[in-house]
Amino acid sequence: MDSSKNIISLTGFMGAGKSTVGWELACRLGWPFVDLDAEIEAAAGLAIPDFFQKYGEAAFRALEIRTLKQVLESRETPFVLALGGGTICSEEARKIILDRTCCIFLDASEGEIVRRVGPDTSSRPVFDIARMQKRLPFYRQAHYEISTDGKSVQQIVDEILEREIV
């Protein structure tokens, strides 16, 4: 990995494993872990579904970019960053992510995501397989792509580490 990119960011649709894999990867590397969605909720003082309902997606995306910039500028590196499912879809955010981090797309099939998320999607504001398909071209711009289907968290982290990304 380019030494200027000592931040690993994880992208992918909800249920792909960004937070779970990110936490485990950070632990294995001995790096801090940052979840962008948690940072957004802290900045907003609201859960993301409540923010969506109250202010809409456009306001959420604006807050998301501000929070992304703040996280990248205020933290000492290295660290592992779990992005939100739609973060990389914004041209501005995508440029920041690809320029400032080593981005890994955690690719999970539709069936795997449905299995992981389950029937209760109340905590997921934009659960929609059609949306996932629209996001795939953006996810695929990541520096690396790893399929997560049928793999344990440890296997996914092993695969990341075997690629000598860090």
Side-chain angles (χ1 to χ4, degrees), residues 145-157:
E145 183 172 331
I146 294 178
S147 173
T148 64
D149 284 12
K151 296 177 186 171
S152 70
V153 173
Q154 291 74 23
Q155 288 171 319
I156 297 164
V157 171

Side-chain angles (χ1 to χ4, degrees), residues 84-102:
T87 309
I88 202 166
C89 298
S90 153
E91 185 176 345
E92 180 180 2
R94 188 171 50 258
K95 179 169 178 19
I96 292 167
I97 292 162
L98 296 177
D99 287 350
R100 306 236 355 240
T101 78
C102 177

Side-chain angles (χ1 to χ4, degrees), residues 15-151:
K18 300 178 300 291
S19 297
T20 305
V21 170
W23 176 258
E24 180 66 22
L25 178 61
C27 287
R28 297 257 300 269
L29 291 170
W31 293 6
F33 172 70
V34 179
D35 187 310
L36 186 61
D37 284 347
E39 296 292 318
I40 292 167
E41 288 182 341
L46 287 171
I48 290 173
D50 297 334
F51 190 93
F52 260 78
Q53 184 176 26
K54 188 170 184 177
Y55 300 108
E57 186 169 359
F60 173 78
R61 297 299 172 198
L63 175 60
E64 183 176 51
I65 287 183
R66 285 194 309 273
T67 306
L68 173 65
K69 289 177 181 177
Q70 187 271 328
V71 164
L72 293 175
E73 292 168 5
S74 68
R75 296 230 177 345
E76 288 192 31
T77 57
F79 66 92
V80 176
L81 174 64
L83 298 167
T87 309
I88 202 166
C89 298
S90 153
E91 185 176 345
E92 180 180 2
R94 188 171 50 258
K95 179 169 178 19
I96 292 167
I97 292 162
L98 296 177
D99 287 350
R100 306 236 355 240
T101 78
C102 177
C103 187
I104 301 169
F105 167 35
L106 299 180
D107 186 13
S109 67
E110 294 175 18
E112 186 74 7
I113 288 174
V114 169
R115 185 186 68 74
R116 290 177 187 171
V117 172
D120 179 13
T121 59
S122 59
S123 66
R124 308 282 188 158
V126 289
F127 180 75
D128 179 350
I129 295 300
R131 186 176 288 238
M132 181 180 114
Q133 294 300 324
K134 289 178 188 174
R135 290 178 176 178
L136 277 174
F138 301 113
Y139 295 149
R140 292 213 161 106
Q141 292 180 43
H143 301 108
Y144 298 91
E145 183 172 331
I146 294 178
S147 173
T148 64
D149 284 12
K151 296 177 186 171

